[in-house]
PDB file of all heavy atoms in Angstrom:
ATOM      1  N   GLY A  54     -10.871  -1.532   9.469  1.00 95.00           N
ATOM      2  CA  GLY A  54     -11.721  -2.471  10.110  1.00 95.00           C
ATOM      3  C   GLY A  54     -12.286  -3.641   9.228  1.00 95.00           C
ATOM      4  O   GLY A  54     -13.194  -4.308   9.688  1.00 95.00           O
ATOM      5  N   MET A  55     -11.779  -3.867   8.065  1.00 96.00           N
ATOM      6  CA  MET A  55     -12.232  -4.913   7.268  1.00 96.00           C
ATOM      7  C   MET A  55     -11.731  -6.260   7.811  1.00 96.00           C
ATOM      8  O   MET A  55     -10.542  -6.353   8.189  1.00 96.00           O
ATOM      9  CB  MET A  55     -11.896  -4.700   5.821  1.00 96.00           C
ATOM     10  CG  MET A  55     -12.403  -5.720   4.783  1.00 96.00           C
ATOM     11  SD  MET A  55     -11.900  -5.406   3.111  1.00 96.00           S
ATOM     12  CE  MET A  55     -12.704  -6.659   2.212  1.00 96.00           C
ATOM     13  N   LYS A  56     -12.545  -7.249   7.904  1.00 96.00           N
ATOM     14  CA  LYS A  56     -12.140  -8.558   8.312  1.00 96.00           C
ATOM     15  C   LYS A  56     -11.450  -9.236   7.193  1.00 96.00           C
ATOM     16  O   LYS A  56     -11.743  -9.110   6.049  1.00 96.00           O
ATOM     17  CB  LYS A  56     -13.250  -9.291   8.771  1.00 96.00           C
ATOM     18  CG  LYS A  56     -13.956  -8.843  10.086  1.00 96.00           C
ATOM     19  CD  LYS A  56     -14.980  -9.704  10.565  1.00 96.00           C
ATOM     20  CE  LYS A  56     -15.660  -9.408  11.777  1.00 96.00           C
ATOM     21  NZ  LYS A  56     -15.364  -8.305  12.496  1.00 96.00           N
ATOM     22  N   PRO A  57     -10.290 -10.141   7.418  1.00 96.00           N
ATOM     23  CA  PRO A  57      -9.704 -10.739   6.351  1.00 96.00           C
ATOM     24  C   PRO A  57     -10.698 -11.665   5.659  1.00 96.00           C
ATOM     25  O   PRO A  57     -11.592 -12.341   6.264  1.00 96.00           O
ATOM     26  CB  PRO A  57      -8.753 -11.673   7.128  1.00 96.00           C
ATOM     27  CG  PRO A  57      -8.420 -11.043   8.375  1.00 96.00           C
ATOM     28  CD  PRO A  57      -9.748 -10.286   8.795  1.00 96.00           C
ATOM     29  N   SER A  58     -10.673 -11.711   4.335  1.00 97.00           N
ATOM     30  CA  SER A  58     -11.580 -12.343   3.508  1.00 97.00           C
ATOM     31  C   SER A  58     -10.956 -12.595   2.041  1.00 97.00           C
ATOM     32  O   SER A  58     -10.014 -12.002   1.704  1.00 97.00           O
ATOM     33  CB  SER A  58     -13.029 -11.623   3.355  1.00 97.00           C
ATOM     34  OG  SER A  58     -12.696 -10.376   2.616  1.00 97.00           O
ATOM     35  N   PRO A  59     -11.557 -13.492   1.336  1.00 97.00           N
ATOM     36  CA  PRO A  59     -11.144 -13.648   0.005  1.00 97.00           C
ATOM     37  C   PRO A  59     -11.225 -12.338  -0.852  1.00 97.00           C
ATOM     38  O   PRO A  59     -10.345 -12.135  -1.720  1.00 97.00           O
ATOM     39  CB  PRO A  59     -12.040 -14.770  -0.642  1.00 97.00           C
ATOM     40  CG  PRO A  59     -12.588 -15.506   0.571  1.00 97.00           C
ATOM     41  CD  PRO A  59     -12.643 -14.464   1.708  1.00 97.00           C
ATOM     42  N   ALA A  60     -12.157 -11.498  -0.541  1.00 97.00           N
ATOM     43  CA  ALA A  60     -12.392 -10.295  -1.261  1.00 97.00           C
ATOM     44  C   ALA A  60     -11.153  -9.372  -0.944  1.00 97.00           C
ATOM     45  O   ALA A  60     -10.675  -8.627  -1.786  1.00 97.00           O
ATOM     46  CB  ALA A  60     -13.649  -9.572  -0.903  1.00 97.00           C
ATOM     47  N   MET A  61     -10.828  -9.329   0.345  1.00 97.00           N
ATOM     48  CA  MET A  61      -9.592  -8.496   0.699  1.00 97.00           C
ATOM     49  C   MET A  61      -8.340  -9.018   0.039  1.00 97.00           C
ATOM     50  O   MET A  61      -7.521  -8.150  -0.480  1.00 97.00           O
ATOM     51  CB  MET A  61      -9.419  -8.537   2.199  1.00 97.00           C
ATOM     52  CG  MET A  61      -8.296  -7.483   2.662  1.00 97.00           C
ATOM     53  SD  MET A  61      -8.085  -7.544   4.388  1.00 97.00           S
ATOM     54  CE  MET A  61      -6.853  -8.776   4.495  1.00 97.00           C
ATOM     55  N   LEU A  62      -8.238 -10.231  -0.027  1.00 97.00           N
ATOM     56  CA  LEU A  62      -7.088 -10.800  -0.714  1.00 97.00           C
ATOM     57  C   LEU A  62      -7.015 -10.490  -2.321  1.00 97.00           C
ATOM     58  O   LEU A  62      -6.083 -10.070  -2.771  1.00 97.00           O
ATOM     59  CB  LEU A  62      -6.961 -12.356  -0.527  1.00 97.00           C
ATOM     60  CG  LEU A  62      -5.839 -13.094  -1.308  1.00 97.00           C
ATOM     61  CD1 LEU A  62      -4.549 -12.659  -0.784  1.00 97.00           C
ATOM     62  CD2 LEU A  62      -6.021 -14.536  -1.155  1.00 97.00           C
ATOM     63  N   ALA A  63      -8.278 -10.641  -2.866  1.00 98.00           N
ATOM     64  CA  ALA A  63      -8.434 -10.230  -4.372  1.00 98.00           C
ATOM     65  C   ALA A  63      -8.035  -8.804  -4.566  1.00 98.00           C
ATOM     66  O   ALA A  63      -7.372  -8.430  -5.501  1.00 98.00           O
ATOM     67  CB  ALA A  63      -9.778 -10.667  -4.807  1.00 98.00           C
TER      68      ALA A  63
END
Side-chain angles (χ1 to χ4, degrees):
M55 185 174 183
K56 293 188 183 344
S58 67
M61 186 178 90
L62 180 64

